[in-house]
Amino acid sequence: MNKTNDLPTYHRVHSMAFYVWIHLLIAFIGMGVYALVMSLVYNMEIFEFSLKIPWATMVSNYVFLVGSSVGLCMVSSLGLVFNLERYHSIVKRCLFMALIAIIFGMVSIMLHLGHPERPAIFTMLTPNPRSAMWGMGIVYPPYILFLALCFWLLIRQELIETASASSGLKARIYRLMALEGLRPYLQRKANLDHLESRIYRMLPLEGWGLSLDAEDADIKWARIFGAMAFITGLLAYTVESTLFAHTEARAFWYGALTPVDFYLGACMCGFAWILVAKIATHKVRSGNIPIHSKRLMFEMGNILALLLSVEILFIAYKMGHGLFDPVKGKTIMLLLKGPYSPAFWGIEIFIGLVLPIVMLLYSVKKERTTGLMIASVMVLIGYFVKRYDFVTAAQVYPAIKHGLPSYLPTLMETLLIAGIIAGVFLTYTLGEMFLPLNEER
Amino acid sequence: MNEKATHISRRRFLKILAGTSAVAALGPVRHAAAQPKQYGKLVDTIRCIGCKRCMSACKRWNRLKVERDEMITDRFTELSGNNFVVVNLRTDSQNTETQIYHHWTCQHCDKPACVGACPVRAITKLPGGHVVINEKKCIGCRYCYQSCPWKVPQFDFKKRVTRKCTLCNDKFPTNYVKPACVAACPVEALIFDYKDVVLREAVRRIERRKMPSYIMGVKEAGGTGVITILPTRPQYLGFVVAPEKVVNQDLDKLRITGAGLMGASAIAGGAYTYAALTQDKNKKNDASNE
């Protein structure tokens, strides 16, 4: 793994666009906090537009963010676990984005729960292994831990270098992030002649600090944790998809095709997110993308186009297969011809799949990175709407008669979701400014 | 004291003594091991007059809020965090002259899907057949609502937990004879007893009436504790029709999870294959860079 030559520095960006971006994100986060405070002052009813559809935008946002995280983890695994050298330059960025996405996804679902403080206690005290939701609560924490450890190990050396090149509070913060102060303490513990010293001697202490040995140890352990993150990520997403797939009472969710649908979507999201982030960041920083990065972008563009094509075929199969079921068929008709059809045909299919395929293939042929970025943004918008339709449409039918419930989110719910997504973007922007995410040859 | 009244003969005294000794020698009578019998509730929609006294009694016992207008007889009401029982007028779509008042609440399924869905075991099925939610454990995820074929458990926005009928389980152990709704019914449209007794009563009522009827609860969702007599099939009255089998059964969950794991393995295998096939591309890129 090549070290970066660019140490992370605080960029004194004077462009108006940057300040507008930051202030816009802070404004959205503020609106999200306002919505949250209102739900605590009044009650949670301000988030629910219908008793009949208790799972709406917050759940679909959670599924979208978690899917993005697992997809990004899969993309990073190509470089980290499967050791494809041309993917090394995006590993750290993918891992950081995966970490942000999973954390904000968890924030989204915690805000949806009535008592978010209780799962941590009762999941352990009175577990129910028959429940897919219990499985999620067990598998996601290790996934987050492995992701965080893997990312930390990959940036640790640069954090120490930045600390050395800085002074005052900034140096202390970077040294704290690198846990550099812990090393002498652990070495003292390991040198003692106690029983617990054996545990400390097992730690890779020779790999602390700045040295080639340290870098090798970091990379070795990053690969191990990366592989474990890859495995637990896939496992966690399997369990999450089965949460919907087990629900026989919701025919649209039920069945073995749902996990496959989730994986395809996660892969698409992973590639789309890294394309957007990498190209946008390069354009904001310097405007020039190195030639090897460009080749990688075009390769990922081709893979994304292939995944989108497979997704179109899969949707056609799933819809066609589902039309034969009397209950599932009626839900599918809501998407094909009913109130969900503009979102389905217009955004999910056309903007989310068909148009991006054309744009991706055209951009790769003409070697235009802007086209890749725009197509990836469309894929993400299409996938977000797809998840919303997936979660809500299944609940619209069947419903007790006397009117179908409404299916548009409330204003407060929209503000909260906007706040969470703004949080994702703001955290990424700050990470781009202060953390060593770049890794170019 | 009258000596004659208290006097017994020696023979009679010896008979009593022998009898007592013989009984004592036999030992205590062993009772048959008590099997927990499941309770059931009969809802006879043909007899129901729609007075909604069951709704009032339920609200009084469970201290639920009364919403404006919901006690008006023909006003349609939904189950909610404040309505564990609702009584609604339903019309047969195949014969619009047939209308019934339907007492609707949790069906207390024999194999409840909500019990398998709850991640923290806040919902349990008690030995007596009651399916109850422990509100102190409930995390408010509403997964039970999604799993229930009839969408019964409802979220209470103020308490932030899911709530539903408990068959007045909290009346145990001191004062339990029947749930509040059953006790309040003036026309015996609601019966509460052991499930086999309730089923026999349902069949008896149908045979006596000699009119087309349907008994809901025998097969729906694998069987329910609430047995409902309807004039026709539930789908013609606007009900959600539950499948006639256990919903969310464990073997089915294993099958679907297995399919998901195979999909995950396919992803991992695909990534490995892609990496193995395109490794040489690294060397070509290096050469072209040089």
Side-chain angles (χ1 to χ4, degrees), chain A residues 74-108:
Chain A
M74 285 196 256
V75 175
S76 74
S77 301
L78 289 171
L80 187 63
V81 178
F82 299 102
N83 206 22
L84 273 176
E85 275 189 41
R86 59 189 184 280
Y87 280 84
H88 285 176
S89 62
I90 58 166
V91 166
K92 286 192 282 189
R93 199 181 299 276
C94 278
L95 287 171
F96 181 60
M97 289 169 67
L99 204 48
I100 300 171
I102 188 78
I103 287 171
F104 279 92
M106 290 296 154
V107 166
S108 189

mmCIF file of all heavy atoms in Angstrom, chain A residues 74-108:
data_model
loop_
_atom_site.group_PDB
_atom_site.id
_atom_site.type_symbol
_atom_site.label_atom_id
_atom_site.label_comp_id
_atom_site.label_asym_id
_atom_site.label_seq_id
_atom_site.Cartn_x
_atom_site.Cartn_y
_atom_site.Cartn_z
ATOM 1 N N MET A 74 -17.654 -3.265 0.393
ATOM 2 C CA MET A 74 -17.363 -4.252 -0.659
ATOM 3 C C MET A 74 -16.371 -3.678 -1.661
ATOM 4 O O MET A 74 -15.441 -4.364 -2.098
ATOM 5 C CB MET A 74 -18.652 -4.666 -1.374
ATOM 6 C CG MET A 74 -19.524 -5.600 -0.566
ATOM 7 S SD MET A 74 -20.755 -6.413 -1.581
ATOM 8 C CE MET A 74 -22.224 -5.524 -1.163
ATOM 9 N N VAL A 75 -16.560 -2.412 -2.040
ATOM 10 C CA VAL A 75 -15.645 -1.796 -3.010
ATOM 11 C C VAL A 75 -14.252 -1.683 -2.397
ATOM 12 O O VAL A 75 -13.242 -1.959 -3.054
ATOM 13 C CB VAL A 75 -16.172 -0.410 -3.453
ATOM 14 C CG1 VAL A 75 -15.179 0.286 -4.358
ATOM 15 C CG2 VAL A 75 -17.501 -0.554 -4.166
ATOM 16 N N SER A 76 -14.194 -1.291 -1.129
ATOM 17 C CA SER A 76 -12.872 -1.158 -0.483
ATOM 18 C C SER A 76 -12.205 -2.514 -0.363
ATOM 19 O O SER A 76 -10.975 -2.616 -0.406
ATOM 20 C CB SER A 76 -13.010 -0.503 0.887
ATOM 21 O OG SER A 76 -13.552 -1.410 1.813
ATOM 22 N N SER A 77 -13.000 -3.576 -0.220
ATOM 23 C CA SER A 77 -12.425 -4.922 -0.091
ATOM 24 C C SER A 77 -11.694 -5.350 -1.348
ATOM 25 O O SER A 77 -10.776 -6.177 -1.279
ATOM 26 C CB SER A 77 -13.518 -5.942 0.220
ATOM 27 O OG SER A 77 -14.156 -5.604 1.405
ATOM 28 N N LEU A 78 -12.083 -4.803 -2.493
ATOM 29 C CA LEU A 78 -11.382 -5.161 -3.732
ATOM 30 C C LEU A 78 -9.913 -4.777 -3.627
ATOM 31 O O LEU A 78 -9.034 -5.490 -4.118
ATOM 32 C CB LEU A 78 -12.031 -4.458 -4.931
ATOM 33 C CG LEU A 78 -13.404 -4.979 -5.344
ATOM 34 C CD1 LEU A 78 -14.030 -4.066 -6.390
ATOM 35 C CD2 LEU A 78 -13.314 -6.389 -5.893
ATOM 36 N N GLY A 79 -9.642 -3.617 -2.972
ATOM 37 C CA GLY A 79 -8.256 -3.198 -2.823
ATOM 38 C C GLY A 79 -7.593 -3.765 -1.584
ATOM 39 O O GLY A 79 -6.426 -4.128 -1.590
ATOM 40 N N LEU A 80 -8.387 -3.867 -0.498
ATOM 41 C CA LEU A 80 -7.784 -4.215 0.789
ATOM 42 C C LEU A 80 -7.710 -5.721 1.004
ATOM 43 O O LEU A 80 -6.693 -6.249 1.428
ATOM 44 C CB LEU A 80 -8.619 -3.560 1.899
ATOM 45 C CG LEU A 80 -8.108 -3.644 3.310
ATOM 46 C CD1 LEU A 80 -6.786 -2.926 3.440
ATOM 47 C CD2 LEU A 80 -9.125 -3.026 4.268
ATOM 48 N N VAL A 81 -8.794 -6.402 0.722
ATOM 49 C CA VAL A 81 -8.866 -7.844 1.010
ATOM 50 C C VAL A 81 -8.399 -8.666 -0.193
ATOM 51 O O VAL A 81 -7.604 -9.593 -0.053
ATOM 52 C CB VAL A 81 -10.314 -8.227 1.399
ATOM 53 C CG1 VAL A 81 -10.433 -9.709 1.652
ATOM 54 C CG2 VAL A 81 -10.768 -7.434 2.616
ATOM 55 N N PHE A 82 -8.884 -8.288 -1.380
ATOM 56 C CA PHE A 82 -8.537 -9.055 -2.578
ATOM 57 C C PHE A 82 -7.301 -8.513 -3.282
ATOM 58 O O PHE A 82 -6.880 -9.034 -4.308
ATOM 59 C CB PHE A 82 -9.737 -9.091 -3.532
ATOM 60 C CG PHE A 82 -10.946 -9.749 -2.932
ATOM 61 C CD1 PHE A 82 -12.007 -9.013 -2.452
ATOM 62 C CD2 PHE A 82 -11.005 -11.128 -2.815
ATOM 63 C CE1 PHE A 82 -13.109 -9.609 -1.885
ATOM 64 C CE2 PHE A 82 -12.100 -11.745 -2.242
ATOM 65 C CZ PHE A 82 -13.158 -10.985 -1.774
ATOM 66 N N ASN A 83 -6.733 -7.435 -2.730
ATOM 67 C CA ASN A 83 -5.412 -6.919 -3.115
ATOM 68 C C ASN A 83 -5.298 -6.530 -4.581
ATOM 69 O O ASN A 83 -4.290 -6.828 -5.235
ATOM 70 C CB ASN A 83 -4.331 -7.957 -2.745
ATOM 71 C CG ASN A 83 -3.007 -7.275 -2.523
ATOM 72 O OD1 ASN A 83 -2.950 -6.082 -2.245
ATOM 73 N ND2 ASN A 83 -1.935 -8.014 -2.668
ATOM 74 N N LEU A 84 -6.333 -5.858 -5.095
ATOM 75 C CA LEU A 84 -6.226 -5.288 -6.436
ATOM 76 C C LEU A 84 -5.526 -3.939 -6.299
ATOM 77 O O LEU A 84 -6.069 -2.996 -5.743
ATOM 78 C CB LEU A 84 -7.616 -5.091 -7.035
ATOM 79 C CG LEU A 84 -8.232 -6.282 -7.780
ATOM 80 C CD1 LEU A 84 -9.637 -5.946 -8.230
ATOM 81 C CD2 LEU A 84 -7.391 -6.677 -8.972
ATOM 82 N N GLU A 85 -4.319 -3.825 -6.838
ATOM 83 C CA GLU A 85 -3.499 -2.633 -6.572
ATOM 84 C C GLU A 85 -4.134 -1.345 -7.075
ATOM 85 O O GLU A 85 -4.000 -0.303 -6.438
ATOM 86 C CB GLU A 85 -2.129 -2.809 -7.228
ATOM 87 C CG GLU A 85 -1.186 -3.589 -6.331
ATOM 88 C CD GLU A 85 0.219 -3.584 -6.871
ATOM 89 O OE1 GLU A 85 0.668 -2.525 -7.357
ATOM 90 O OE2 GLU A 85 0.853 -4.646 -6.804
ATOM 91 N N ARG A 86 -4.824 -1.406 -8.188
ATOM 92 C CA ARG A 86 -5.375 -0.151 -8.724
ATOM 93 C C ARG A 86 -6.502 0.392 -7.846
ATOM 94 O O ARG A 86 -6.885 1.543 -7.970
ATOM 95 C CB ARG A 86 -5.874 -0.360 -10.163
ATOM 96 C CG ARG A 86 -6.953 -1.402 -10.339
ATOM 97 C CD ARG A 86 -7.181 -1.661 -11.825
ATOM 98 N NE ARG A 86 -8.272 -2.599 -12.059
ATOM 99 C CZ ARG A 86 -8.158 -3.925 -11.960
ATOM 100 N NH1 ARG A 86 -7.002 -4.483 -11.635
ATOM 101 N NH2 ARG A 86 -9.198 -4.702 -12.192
ATOM 102 N N TYR A 87 -7.036 -0.444 -6.948
ATOM 103 C CA TYR A 87 -8.075 0.014 -6.027
ATOM 104 C C TYR A 87 -7.511 0.548 -4.720
ATOM 105 O O TYR A 87 -8.256 1.035 -3.877
ATOM 106 C CB TYR A 87 -9.061 -1.130 -5.719
ATOM 107 C CG TYR A 87 -10.099 -1.344 -6.797
ATOM 108 C CD1 TYR A 87 -9.814 -2.123 -7.908
ATOM 109 C CD2 TYR A 87 -11.357 -0.765 -6.703
ATOM 110 C CE1 TYR A 87 -10.757 -2.317 -8.910
ATOM 111 C CE2 TYR A 87 -12.304 -0.955 -7.693
ATOM 112 C CZ TYR A 87 -11.995 -1.726 -8.790
ATOM 113 O OH TYR A 87 -12.928 -1.915 -9.784
ATOM 114 N N HIS A 88 -6.203 0.458 -4.542
ATOM 115 C CA HIS A 88 -5.607 0.926 -3.285
ATOM 116 C C HIS A 88 -5.873 2.403 -3.046
ATOM 117 O O HIS A 88 -5.996 2.844 -1.903
ATOM 118 C CB HIS A 88 -4.087 0.690 -3.301
ATOM 119 C CG HIS A 88 -3.737 -0.754 -3.105
ATOM 120 N ND1 HIS A 88 -2.442 -1.210 -3.168
ATOM 121 C CD2 HIS A 88 -4.495 -1.828 -2.836
ATOM 122 C CE1 HIS A 88 -2.436 -2.523 -2.939
ATOM 123 N NE2 HIS A 88 -3.667 -2.909 -2.754
ATOM 124 N N SER A 89 -5.934 3.178 -4.137
ATOM 125 C CA SER A 89 -6.074 4.629 -3.981
ATOM 126 C C SER A 89 -7.427 5.059 -3.439
ATOM 127 O O SER A 89 -7.597 6.206 -3.053
ATOM 128 C CB SER A 89 -5.813 5.320 -5.317
ATOM 129 O OG SER A 89 -6.779 4.901 -6.261
ATOM 130 N N ILE A 90 -8.406 4.165 -3.418
ATOM 131 C CA ILE A 90 -9.733 4.563 -2.936
ATOM 132 C C ILE A 90 -10.130 3.853 -1.645
ATOM 133 O O ILE A 90 -11.219 4.069 -1.127
ATOM 134 C CB ILE A 90 -10.834 4.311 -4.000
ATOM 135 C CG1 ILE A 90 -10.864 2.832 -4.408
ATOM 136 C CG2 ILE A 90 -10.645 5.223 -5.200
ATOM 137 C CD1 ILE A 90 -12.102 2.460 -5.172
ATOM 138 N N VAL A 91 -9.254 3.017 -1.122
ATOM 139 C CA VAL A 91 -9.627 2.201 0.044
ATOM 140 C C VAL A 91 -9.998 3.069 1.237
ATOM 141 O O VAL A 91 -11.053 2.898 1.850
ATOM 142 C CB VAL A 91 -8.481 1.229 0.410
ATOM 143 C CG1 VAL A 91 -8.707 0.627 1.788
ATOM 144 C CG2 VAL A 91 -8.384 0.117 -0.612
ATOM 145 N N LYS A 92 -9.119 4.032 1.561
ATOM 146 C CA LYS A 92 -9.369 4.823 2.771
ATOM 147 C C LYS A 92 -10.641 5.644 2.645
ATOM 148 O O LYS A 92 -11.432 5.755 3.573
ATOM 149 C CB LYS A 92 -8.166 5.730 3.046
ATOM 150 C CG LYS A 92 -6.971 4.950 3.589
ATOM 151 C CD LYS A 92 -5.905 5.847 4.134
ATOM 152 C CE LYS A 92 -5.078 6.457 3.047
ATOM 153 N NZ LYS A 92 -3.900 7.171 3.578
ATOM 154 N N ARG A 93 -10.832 6.206 1.458
ATOM 155 C CA ARG A 93 -12.033 7.029 1.251
ATOM 156 C C ARG A 93 -13.291 6.169 1.372
ATOM 157 O O ARG A 93 -14.278 6.562 1.996
ATOM 158 C CB ARG A 93 -11.979 7.683 -0.128
ATOM 159 C CG ARG A 93 -12.884 8.879 -0.306
ATOM 160 C CD ARG A 93 -12.754 9.432 -1.711
ATOM 161 N NE ARG A 93 -11.398 9.875 -1.994
ATOM 162 C CZ ARG A 93 -10.921 11.069 -1.656
ATOM 163 N NH1 ARG A 93 -11.690 11.944 -1.062
ATOM 164 N NH2 ARG A 93 -9.682 11.397 -1.945
ATOM 165 N N CYS A 94 -13.232 4.971 0.779
ATOM 166 C CA CYS A 94 -14.385 4.057 0.861
ATOM 167 C C CYS A 94 -14.682 3.686 2.311
ATOM 168 O O CYS A 94 -15.846 3.691 2.737
ATOM 169 C CB CYS A 94 -14.096 2.764 0.089
ATOM 170 S SG CYS A 94 -14.367 2.905 -1.669
ATOM 171 N N LEU A 95 -13.632 3.367 3.057
ATOM 172 C CA LEU A 95 -13.836 2.959 4.446
ATOM 173 C C LEU A 95 -14.411 4.104 5.267
ATOM 174 O O LEU A 95 -15.308 3.897 6.089
ATOM 175 C CB LEU A 95 -12.511 2.490 5.065
ATOM 176 C CG LEU A 95 -12.014 1.137 4.580
ATOM 177 C CD1 LEU A 95 -10.603 0.883 5.092
ATOM 178 C CD2 LEU A 95 -12.928 0.013 5.032
ATOM 179 N N PHE A 96 -13.895 5.307 5.049
ATOM 180 C CA PHE A 96 -14.398 6.463 5.803
ATOM 181 C C PHE A 96 -15.864 6.706 5.481
ATOM 182 O O PHE A 96 -16.696 6.908 6.372
ATOM 183 C CB PHE A 96 -13.559 7.699 5.480
ATOM 184 C CG PHE A 96 -13.992 8.927 6.231
ATOM 185 C CD1 PHE A 96 -13.967 8.947 7.623
ATOM 186 C CD2 PHE A 96 -14.419 10.060 5.567
ATOM 187 C CE1 PHE A 96 -14.356 10.070 8.329
ATOM 188 C CE2 PHE A 96 -14.813 11.187 6.270
ATOM 189 C CZ PHE A 96 -14.787 11.196 7.646
ATOM 190 N N MET A 97 -16.207 6.649 4.199
ATOM 191 C CA MET A 97 -17.606 6.875 3.813
ATOM 192 C C MET A 97 -18.496 5.753 4.340
ATOM 193 O O MET A 97 -19.634 5.997 4.747
ATOM 194 C CB MET A 97 -17.722 6.970 2.293
ATOM 195 C CG MET A 97 -17.126 8.258 1.748
ATOM 196 S SD MET A 97 -16.966 8.256 -0.033
ATOM 197 C CE MET A 97 -18.650 8.240 -0.528
ATOM 198 N N ALA A 98 -17.977 4.533 4.348
ATOM 199 C CA ALA A 98 -18.766 3.416 4.881
ATOM 200 C C ALA A 98 -19.062 3.628 6.360
ATOM 201 O O ALA A 98 -20.170 3.371 6.838
ATOM 202 C CB ALA A 98 -18.020 2.097 4.676
ATOM 203 N N LEU A 99 -18.042 4.131 7.063
ATOM 204 C CA LEU A 99 -18.203 4.375 8.505
ATOM 205 C C LEU A 99 -19.231 5.473 8.765
ATOM 206 O O LEU A 99 -20.112 5.339 9.621
ATOM 207 C CB LEU A 99 -16.841 4.785 9.063
ATOM 208 C CG LEU A 99 -16.544 4.564 10.535
ATOM 209 C CD1 LEU A 99 -16.917 3.160 10.968
ATOM 210 C CD2 LEU A 99 -15.068 4.796 10.790
ATOM 211 N N ILE A 100 -19.142 6.551 7.987
ATOM 212 C CA ILE A 100 -20.111 7.651 8.168
ATOM 213 C C ILE A 100 -21.510 7.144 7.871
ATOM 214 O O ILE A 100 -22.469 7.405 8.601
ATOM 215 C CB ILE A 100 -19.822 8.820 7.207
ATOM 216 C CG1 ILE A 100 -18.449 9.413 7.414
ATOM 217 C CG2 ILE A 100 -20.845 9.923 7.398
ATOM 218 C CD1 ILE A 100 -18.109 10.400 6.316
ATOM 219 N N ALA A 101 -21.645 6.401 6.784
ATOM 220 C CA ALA A 101 -22.980 5.961 6.352
ATOM 221 C C ALA A 101 -23.615 5.056 7.402
ATOM 222 O O ALA A 101 -24.794 5.200 7.731
ATOM 223 C CB ALA A 101 -22.888 5.240 5.009
ATOM 224 N N ILE A 102 -22.824 4.124 7.968
ATOM 225 C CA ILE A 102 -23.421 3.203 8.932
ATOM 226 C C ILE A 102 -23.775 3.931 10.222
ATOM 227 O O ILE A 102 -24.828 3.669 10.832
ATOM 228 C CB ILE A 102 -22.508 1.979 9.193
ATOM 229 C CG1 ILE A 102 -23.241 0.937 10.037
ATOM 230 C CG2 ILE A 102 -21.233 2.326 9.895
ATOM 231 C CD1 ILE A 102 -24.208 0.111 9.282
ATOM 232 N N ILE A 103 -22.951 4.899 10.617
ATOM 233 C CA ILE A 103 -23.240 5.614 11.868
ATOM 234 C C ILE A 103 -24.499 6.455 11.714
ATOM 235 O O ILE A 103 -25.390 6.429 12.581
ATOM 236 C CB ILE A 103 -22.028 6.468 12.288
ATOM 237 C CG1 ILE A 103 -20.922 5.525 12.798
ATOM 238 C CG2 ILE A 103 -22.417 7.466 13.372
ATOM 239 C CD1 ILE A 103 -19.605 6.195 13.034
ATOM 240 N N PHE A 104 -24.620 7.168 10.605
ATOM 241 C CA PHE A 104 -25.823 7.980 10.425
ATOM 242 C C PHE A 104 -27.044 7.115 10.122
ATOM 243 O O PHE A 104 -28.181 7.501 10.426
ATOM 244 C CB PHE A 104 -25.596 9.039 9.338
ATOM 245 C CG PHE A 104 -24.873 10.243 9.844
ATOM 246 C CD1 PHE A 104 -23.492 10.330 9.765
ATOM 247 C CD2 PHE A 104 -25.552 11.282 10.446
ATOM 248 C CE1 PHE A 104 -22.805 11.434 10.265
ATOM 249 C CE2 PHE A 104 -24.880 12.388 10.945
ATOM 250 C CZ PHE A 104 -23.503 12.460 10.855
ATOM 251 N N GLY A 105 -26.826 5.965 9.541
ATOM 252 C CA GLY A 105 -27.932 5.019 9.377
ATOM 253 C C GLY A 105 -28.472 4.566 10.726
ATOM 254 O O GLY A 105 -29.690 4.511 10.936
ATOM 255 N N MET A 106 -27.560 4.295 11.643
ATOM 256 C CA MET A 106 -27.973 3.906 12.993
ATOM 257 C C MET A 106 -28.691 5.062 13.701
ATOM 258 O O MET A 106 -29.658 4.851 14.435
ATOM 259 C CB MET A 106 -26.751 3.478 13.826
ATOM 260 C CG MET A 106 -26.161 2.169 13.353
ATOM 261 S SD MET A 106 -27.324 0.828 13.558
ATOM 262 C CE MET A 106 -26.788 -0.304 12.314
ATOM 263 N N VAL A 107 -28.210 6.295 13.465
ATOM 264 C CA VAL A 107 -28.889 7.467 14.044
ATOM 265 C C VAL A 107 -30.326 7.523 13.533
ATOM 266 O O VAL A 107 -31.275 7.742 14.282
ATOM 267 C CB VAL A 107 -28.123 8.764 13.683
ATOM 268 C CG1 VAL A 107 -28.969 9.988 13.961
ATOM 269 C CG2 VAL A 107 -26.826 8.832 14.449
ATOM 270 N N SER A 108 -30.480 7.274 12.235
ATOM 271 C CA SER A 108 -31.814 7.319 11.612
ATOM 272 C C SER A 108 -32.755 6.300 12.249
ATOM 273 O O SER A 108 -33.902 6.617 12.578
ATOM 274 C CB SER A 108 -31.668 7.050 10.116
ATOM 275 O OG SER A 108 -32.870 7.276 9.441
#
